[in-house]
Amino acid sequence: MHRLSLRELGPAGALGLEKDGEALTLGVSGRLVMNDVAVMLDAAVDGIGIANLISSYTERHVADGRLVQLLADWTTPLPDLTLYYPDRKRVPPKLRALIDFLRVANEPATTPMPPGVLLQGSRGAGL
């Protein structure tokens, strides 16, 4: 059991997981909360705790044995994209182009994004 988890911004004390359409929320009691992916990745590789990161950031570390994937059958859901802007009636053309681009980019892809994965350093945190 780890007493330290490294987490990105999200609901305090909770980690959402999905597997085959089933949703699960786990309580997380980590003492260290991070919102910098590079620092979180380095901390996990150094064995400081468990990190929840997108697999594309971690593949080479898992492949070379520096990270171990936990709960491999489960993934963390990715949040929906949200954009806030002040006035829906008078949207500048450049902002309208960005909004239209993001709407198209956020449509369901034919190839899914890599899921989030839960990882720890191969040395373990030993906490």
Side-chain angles (χ1 to χ4, degrees):
M1 171 125 173
H2 291 274
R3 294 185 317 219
L4 185 63
S5 65
L6 313 171
R7 296 181 281 134
E8 288 187 280
L9 296 175
L15 174 66
L17 297 169
E18 293 179 348
K19 174 178 145 181
D20 300 328
E22 180 183 351
L24 174 68
T25 302
L26 297 176
V28 179
S29 61
R31 297 182 194 162
L32 183 59
V33 178
M34 300 179 180
N35 64 358
D36 184 311
V37 174
V39 174
M40 192 184 313
L41 179 59
D42 288 344
V45 168
D46 289 343
I48 293 173
I50 297 171
N52 179 19
L53 298 166
I54 294 175
S55 60
S56 60
Y57 295 137
T58 62
E59 288 170 339
R60 69 182 168 98
H61 300 291
V62 171
D64 67 17
R66 292 188 288 163
L67 287 176
V68 177
Q69 185 175 353
L70 305 175
L71 302 171
D73 293 345
W74 293 83
T75 61
T76 54
L78 297 173
D80 290 333
L81 181 64
T82 303
L83 178 66
Y84 295 97
Y85 51 97
D87 189 352
R88 294 183 75 171
K89 295 178 182 173
R90 293 181 293 275
V91 179
K94 289 181 182 178
L95 180 56
R96 170 54 51 207
L98 174 64
I99 293 167
D100 293 343
F101 170 79
L102 292 173
R103 278 193 175 135
V104 170
N106 202 38
E107 290 175 356
T110 55
T111 305
M113 272 186 78
V117 294
L118 207 57
L119 304 152
Q120 79 173 39
S122 59
R123 292 179 284 180
L127 298 173

